[in-house]
Amino acid sequence: MQRWRGLEDIPQDWGRSVVTIGSYDGVHRGHQLIVGRTVERARQLGVASVVVTFDPHPSEVVRPGTHPPLLAPHHRRGELMAELGVNAVLVLPFTAEFSKLSPADFIVKVLVDKLHASAVVEGPNFRFGHRAAGNVGFLAELGATYDYEVEVIDLYVTGAAGGGEPFSSTLTRRLIAEGDVGGAAEILGRPHRVEGVVVRGAQRGRELGYPTANVETLPHTAIPADGVYAGWLTADGERMPAAISVGTNPQFNGTEQTVEAYAIDRVGLDLYGLHVAVDFLSYVRPQLTFDSIESLLDAIADDVKRSRDLVAAYDAR
């Protein structure tokens, strides 16, 4: 899959394509319907499929300080798009100047002049251009002029997550903030992932016999509510069952929220400086303080056992 940053990265000899445009944060199951149809339509027409997205999130430029927590960084979105069969991802730097493009100018500069769109696939509420003035109706109207078709896909999927609310990035962020990583996984179609570099912490886990990878998360990451979770730690391509702690470590008067993962039944791991991924499968318990180190060790042992069992049950499905 090709990855481009900015219109200037698109090859000059790029041919026709089927395009979809959006933030696509998380690439959740609703997004997958639109992206999947984009790929399918491109194959039917014998052209390439292209996903267009933005960096930073448009809200940060239009309303500074409102950047939402991210469900997936751009490189992760690219991986997920590649798994869906997308041929190219175009990340457009979203600047104040870019935000002032009229809907018509956006269509001409991006879809017509650069991507040579044969078709555009979007959800029913897609908006674009200055002050989000463009909609799918306007997109289709100009398609008659510029020789592309528009297909609107209902991206709204529902399930148990969120009490039956339509699946969305907003709902996913809310569930993660509440610690409902199981509900988030239903929407995403996979466990929520947090990434970052392993840094040195206070090393209390090592002193207690449970050395953890202290993950310095990427900016704006959607981090689950404080608590203990079962999941996986992936490092150097190896996916390991893990007990994961999110919180400020009140047992030792901590104040800064951290994400720490203990690779279950692994000894002698040296992960410092590595970029790792932490996938959240299930909530285990809230963050607590204990009246003694012995009580804390008993709780950790129980956390590890429960996490081991939850991951094993999931892998056996």
Side-chain angles (χ1 to χ4, degrees):
M1 186 187 75
Q2 297 191 47
R3 302 184 189 216
W4 308 317
R5 185 170 180 85
L7 296 174
E8 63 280 357
D9 274 2
I10 302 172
Q12 292 188 354
D13 60 351
W14 186 254
R16 301 301 296 267
S17 55
V18 176
V19 184
T20 186
I21 307 161
S23 292
Y24 289 122
D25 186 22
V27 195
H28 62 63
R29 287 169 56 191
H31 294 154
Q32 291 166 31
L33 292 177
I34 297 177
V35 174
R37 177 55 185 162
T38 302
V39 171
E40 180 183 41
R41 187 68 183 127
R43 289 172 177 166
Q44 290 172 348
L45 295 175
V47 300
S49 53
V50 181
V51 174
V52 179
T53 188
F54 308 98
D55 184 37
H57 194 282
S59 68
E60 182 64 18
V61 175
V62 178
R63 296 177 298 279
T66 64
H67 199 304
L70 292 179
L71 301 171
H74 280 288
H75 72 267
R76 176 61 174 158
R77 288 181 229 179
E79 293 170 357
L80 296 168
M81 297 293 185
E83 290 174 6
L84 293 170
V86 171
N87 297 120
V89 171
L90 167 62
V91 179
L92 291 175
F94 199 88
T95 62
E97 180 182 3
F98 185 85
S99 73
K100 294 174 183 174
L101 276 181
S102 70
D105 284 345
F106 179 92
I107 288 171
V108 172
K109 289 179 180 292
V110 179
L111 294 178
V112 179
D113 290 348
K114 288 294 186 177
L115 295 177
H116 312 296
S118 295
V120 182
V121 182
E122 294 296 342
N125 295 329
F126 173 63
R127 304 302 292 253
F128 64 101
H130 186 50
R131 298 186 181 276
N135 57 23
V136 290
F138 183 75
L139 187 65
E141 182 182 331
L142 266 66
T145 300
Y146 293 113
D147 190 29
Y148 63 80
E149 62 185 49
V150 173
E151 185 170 352
V152 179
I153 301 294
D154 182 2
L155 77 164
Y156 296 111
V157 182
T158 59
E165 287 184 43
F167 291 172
S168 68
S169 297
T170 299
L171 174 59
T172 310
R173 294 184 189 106
R174 190 185 86 205
L175 295 177
I176 289 169
E178 294 171 353
D180 185 1
V181 295
E186 183 188 359
I187 298 172
L188 294 170
R190 64 186 181 280
H192 174 57
R193 170 171 290 190
V194 167
E195 298 185 40
V197 173
V198 177
V199 298
R200 292 190 182 277
Q203 297 190 307
R204 291 195 179 91
R206 185 176 300 277
E207 294 169 2
L208 295 171
Y210 296 93
T212 60
N214 187 347
V215 183
E216 186 174 66
T217 57
L218 300 175
H220 303 296
T221 294
I223 298 175
D226 290 356
V228 176
Y229 300 83
W232 296 267
L233 171 66
T234 299
D236 269 347
E238 183 180 4
R239 191 169 186 245
M240 299 167 277
I244 307 155
S245 173
V246 177
T248 58
N249 203 347
Q251 185 77 35
F252 298 98
N253 301 312
T255 58
E256 183 178 346
Q257 187 187 52
T258 60
V259 176
E260 301 180 61
Y262 168 66
I264 298 172
D265 300 328
R266 296 300 302 270
V267 177
L269 287 176
D270 183 4
L271 303 178
Y272 290 122
L274 293 183
H275 185 97
V276 301
V278 178
D279 293 311
F280 291 82
L281 172 63
S282 300
Y283 178 82
V284 173
R285 66 165 172 85
Q287 180 177 247
L288 300 170
T289 57
F290 299 89
D291 56 11
S292 67
I293 294 299
E294 289 73 20
S295 296
L296 171 62
L297 287 170
D298 288 343
I300 294 174
D302 186 60
D303 295 339
V304 170
K305 179 183 184 303
R306 291 177 64 188
S307 296
R308 182 191 292 111
D309 292 346
L310 286 164
V311 171
Y314 182 89
D315 285 341
R317 285 167 43 185

